[in-house]
Amino acid sequence: MADSASPAAASSRLDRLVDRIDGWVPKPHAWAFALRIWLAMVLALGVSFWLQLDSASSAATCVAILAQPKRGQALSKAFYRLLGTLVGAAVSIVFVALFGQDRVLLLTAFTVWLGLCVFVAQYLQDTRAYGAMLSGYTVAIIALAQIDMPQDAFTAATGRVAAIVVGIVAITFINDALASPSTWRSLLPTMTSAWDATRGYALDTLRDGDLGPTRTAALIRTIAPMRADANAIAGELDDGPFRAAGARSCIAALYAMAAAIRTVAAAAAHLEAPSPAVTEALATCRRIAAAPDDTALDADDERLRRLVDEAMRDPSRPLDEIVVLQRALDFACAATFAHDGLRALADGHAPLRDTTLPTHRDFPLALRGALRVAIGFAVTAAAFIALGLPQASFALVQVAATAALSSTTPDPKKFSTGVLIGMTIAATLAGIVRFTALNGVQGFPMLAIALAPVIFAGCLLSLNQKTFTIGFILIVFFPVLLSPSNPQSYDAETFLLNGFLVIVAAVMLCLVVRIVLPVSPAMKRVFALDSARRALASALVGEGGDATTRTSLNADRLFQFAGYSSGSGAVRRANLTHAFALARLEAAAARAHAELRMLWRLAAMREAVPAARDALARGDDKAMEAAARGILAAAAGSGETRGTRLLAARAVSDLVSTARTIAHHRPFLRRLQVAPF
């Protein structure tokens, strides 16, 4: 037996070893990505030398920063990089004109500007946030680098813009020539998987009841990351705006489907004996979740509207029945938008709607991030000036750039560690290439060959989530430290000092993110709950803003909050339960006020509206249910059109949802000190 088992065990170990090696070996698409970036970088350097630009390395660095595996991502980042560079160049010229004769005032003005740009970037997302940050540290690249020669600031600004344009054109040309993968093609299977997961979530909810916050948070984590690619599609093709709109519509609809089906299950659980209408509505939801198609969705939507209209004609109907029917209709509408958006992404037709995906940001986090960058830069600048370090302006540029980039990363501490490792590797490899491979060699082909191993290694590292920062810093700062020129300089003293200063800058970044205004996950949870509390208080009194974007905004807040939550399983579930309750309550209250404003315009419904508004403002769950009953009675006896009854049904369902959530979570709401409680 031992002899027979030994070969099997050895084979198993060999299989595991092969699988582990296969996991580390880059796939063909990774090699293709690295090849494109290397070719684009070589092209950018060649054109820069031909145009005799002052800093050819800026064009190569631009290519490195725009190194994205998908064409749409690179185009989107290129647009905001150019825009941020133009803004930063203009501000640089203004700062030099105003403060060129006073270094302290120039550094102070830049510190304020950098903090402001970082603060704005906190409220943006994806490449727009990068553009805001770039407009901040571009001033360092132009104005601070010319702090000893302010008369050259305009020339430096034009040279910087020219280098950025060369880099953008180079990577765009190479991506098109070598058929870089389209963002929409890679997003389509991911979105299809999320569509299937949402329908599976709906089927499980209808079968088992509410699946709880943990399962719902997992679904949101599946949906939310697709937003970045959805926003990057628009510039890829002529029909890119339609594909992007379809992707956004689908994402928003998937959020709405999950929220609606949870309410359907909760309201159905309150019914002792479901009526035939409720049974039919639940069966319709199951059919939609199992196998939706265009013809069936349209028919199901119309049938559910009839069921809601019939229920609103009978003032004796249980309120929970109205909620089930209305939320089933909402689920069908969301499924229609999701299905249509998915097809629009695939074939490029104009989707049924173009919606936005708002981003949640907490003001205290944004402010602390901006202050951290500003304080860190100010302290570093003061230390370098006090020590009288030569080439301090070069180091300050690196501090400003890396500090700004760290401000929008999910984990600044992890990012700063990656920067330190990446800077050290970049400086080491730049020295080896410059003084070994290129020593005494002035030919461009040799430069291109010497760049290849480092650029390939950096690109491959950047494709791995764990080593992304190291790879990104390597390909960005390697050309900066190598500083290729024509003719090539071999000043070892200057190179060593620059290498030392960038590592010092990385060390300063590590210290700053850990010492200056650090933010723990517990603090992030507190800030998020405080933001949700204030939003809820506004929603209850009718100041919640646009109700149509509320579900997507809350989903983004929940996505971030789920990342902050830690601790034991019970604690995490409790935190998520409260966060979901606040989101559900805020969305329902905001929608209810929006619907009540429309009902107020109708004379037959006007008498029932004030009681509902007052109940919402007081957070009185019993009064809300009474007000919902009043709206139902008014709609049933008013003789209004079906459109009015359907609007009243939405108001009834939101009032009841708000009331039930308040009744279930009132102790928590009191602890949170929301105004009415």
Side-chain angles (χ1 to χ4, degrees), residues 65-92:
I65 290 176
L66 298 179
Q68 301 289 331
K70 301 166 191 172
R71 187 184 310 170
Q73 295 171 335
L75 288 173
S76 178
K77 197 170 186 179
F79 172 79
Y80 286 104
R81 179 166 178 78
L82 179 59
L83 181 61
T85 300
L86 292 174
V87 172
V91 173
S92 299

Side-chain angles (χ1 to χ4, degrees), residues 578-616:
H578 293 150
F580 273 99
L582 287 175
R584 184 166 58 250
L585 185 54
E586 181 202 346
R591 287 195 306 265
H593 273 291
E595 291 144 3
L596 292 173
R597 283 192 288 271
M598 289 185 283
L599 290 174
W600 177 258
R601 302 170 188 167
L602 306 173
M605 303 297 299
R606 187 168 297 173
E607 185 176 347
V609 170
R613 287 178 173 171
D614 180 66
L616 284 168

Side-chain angles (χ1 to χ4, degrees), residues 55 57 430 434 477-489 498:
S55 179
S57 64
R434 188 169 182 176
F477 284 92
F478 172 74
V480 172
L481 293 167
L482 183 64
S483 189
S485 59
N486 188 20
Q488 182 66 50
S489 169
N498 285 342

Side-chain angles (χ1 to χ4, degrees), residues 241-314:
F242 289 154
R243 294 181 191 271
R248 290 193 300 269
S249 178
C250 183
I251 292 171
L254 294 180
Y255 288 145
M257 287 176 66
I261 206 65
R262 288 191 77 190
T263 307
V264 167
H270 281 89
L271 293 171
E272 295 181 0
S275 67
V278 168
T279 302
E280 182 179 352
L282 294 176
T284 300
C285 289
R286 292 189 186 94
R287 185 168 61 252
I288 292 173
D293 65 76
D294 292 338
T295 304
L297 282 172
D298 290 340
D300 290 336
D301 181 273
E302 178 56 30
R303 178 55 184 164
L304 288 170
R305 289 178 187 275
R306 290 181 181 177
L307 292 177
V308 173
D309 185 40
E310 291 173 2
M312 290 300 292
R313 293 173 183 270
D314 181 3

